Amino acid sequence: MDNREKRDFEAGLAADVDAWLKGEPTRRTFITKLGQMTGMLAVSGPLLASSSQWALAQAAVELADASSPLGKAQAAALKASTEGPVDGSAFKAVAAAKKFKGVTLNMTYESGLQALDPRNFSGPLWEQLTGIKSNVVELSHPDQYSKPVAEHIAGSGAYDILDIEPAWTPSLADGGVIAPLDEFIGKYLNKADLDDYHPLFKALPTYKGKIWGFFDDGDMFALYYRKDIFEDPKMRAAYQGKFNKALEPPKTWEDYAQVAQFITDQMAPNVYGAGHFRKAGSPGNQYDFLQQFRANNGQFFDDSMNAQLASPAGMKTFENMLAANKASIPGNNELDAVSLWAAFLQGKVAMIYSWPPTGRMCANYSQSAKAINFIPQSSIAGKVGYALVPGNPEMATGYNKALAADSTNAEAAYLFMQWAVSPSVSLARTMLPYSLRDPYRLSHYKSELYRSLWPDAPTYLINLCNSANVGLLDMVMPGWQDYALSVDRMCSSVWAGTDPKTALETAAAEWDQTTERLGKDSQKAFFAEYKKLPGSSADHTVEAMGMGVKL
């Protein structure tokens, strides 16, 4: 296929997935299209086994030095799993799982660093504790949605545990791809574990009154800035003299662009004020745009489910973003997340906002793992401050662990999930230097072991908790992938010179088409449920609802 044919084909496949979730197409139609995409002519055995990367978990557990904070956290996880407390979720899961010795669990993970946790630590440790093996199925992020759907349609039973975006839960639940956990939770879980989740994350696996997974990755954006620059007396005096206000981490997007431009004017080409991952699909402009859009009081849809992107809030958001681009490092619009990290770590940029691994990388903690050799050593360790993203930060993607509805090992799969997200085990997993799993439990933020990983780690964890208090969620509803892709294309076109008003109107029309395709009344009901979640809008955050957590 040429690029145009591939684009049109994939658009048709996406429409088939959406239609199937509404019960419209035949299984044959969907599988035929998926077979064309993956180069298969027939379905035999697990539908996608030939196009997935399967890896048997290692037999030995990779453990840190016993005297290190991570080593102590791993020891505590092992103790909770084998000695108790006996009413703890880790202990109960291990005790119940031993009867499934010899079973192999197939679990999906995003390709790359995400998969190193179940390969090197949690998978082998679970096998050591219970005799249950694990196969790690590495998938690209889009395939983490489409391939479980395809396997379910094929009836292959290929997967047991799925790593999914919380935004996908309604589609996969209604499509019968994932199963509710309430019965198993009632039988095995220590209910106090649910209260240990930060309130922003606690409700994410809940849909139609049932629990469809365990939240497992606190992907909160935060602002990371160079303290040495912001505290430099000459810089502070110059900023005060020019703007009659203190140089400090910005609290509004207007201040963000102003501060970035000031630093660029003062320090370029050695240091630029800001940098952003603006490259299309890497990982996507939608997170940047939607967090600023809502901070500018933007609304996704009106009461009739008509898109509201083409609005004063949309125009203001582009005004803010274009001003930030102008103040940024050259090549800003072609940066992806990794190249932005590299620029910040090498001291080329004064402030960025990104996912929590940023803090670990800045302190050179992540680079202690060989798997992080694609990231340079930090030249700014000890010089980085943490602050809230102006307005409201995005909780960009995140992960739930979900039970595949067609699993033939459902109880064993559930018990692994309960164990992996239990307080002690999940703490050790979020402390792995090579993992991209980020803190999400109150006990993570408060952990003295995590706080001892580097000198400023306590401030880092407190800032992540504070960010979650005012954080915003991606849309948790069908069509999220298409809505997000429209925003990514819209932003990329503006960076290339398209008039913002025209781009906003085009994206709004695409949103309306997506809504019509999925059913306007149906989408309206989904959106109404989404709006009930803490973090669905700037005036409906955890803090605004009176549930903020103060550490």
Side-chain angles (χ1 to χ4, degrees), residues 160-193:
D160 298 296
I161 299 169
L162 305 175
D163 249 23
I164 64 170
E165 276 194 42
W168 303 340
T169 296
S171 293
L172 297 181
D174 283 350
V177 179
I178 58 176
L181 305 183
D182 300 79
E183 183 176 346
F184 289 134
I185 286 173
K187 185 176 181 180
Y188 293 116
L189 187 73
N190 184 326
K191 300 302 192 302
D193 285 3

Side-chain angles (χ1 to χ4, degrees), residues 53-58 62 107-124 134-140 144 163 216-217 371-372 399 401 416 429 432 434-437:
Q53 183 177 348
W54 296 73
L56 189 66
Q58 294 177 191
E62 187 176 289
M107 56 183 74
T108 66
Y109 263 79
E110 185 176 29
S111 299
L113 294 178
Q114 291 279 13
L116 292 181
D117 161 27
R119 285 195 186 187
N120 296 349
F121 177 66
S122 58
S134 55
N135 275 328
V136 180
V137 186
E138 292 197 40
L139 301 174
S140 69
Q144 287 182 282
D163 249 23
D216 191 39
D217 188 14
I372 310 292
Y399 274 110
K401 287 196 176 303
F416 173 83
R429 292 173 55 236
L432 294 170
Y434 52 76
S435 175
L436 298 184
R437 285 299 199 252

Side-chain angles (χ1 to χ4, degrees), residues 21-35:
L21 289 169
K22 294 190 292 182
E24 293 175 1
T26 65
R27 170 181 163 181
R28 179 181 296 276
T29 299
F30 184 89
I31 290 177
T32 298
K33 283 213 172 203
L34 194 73

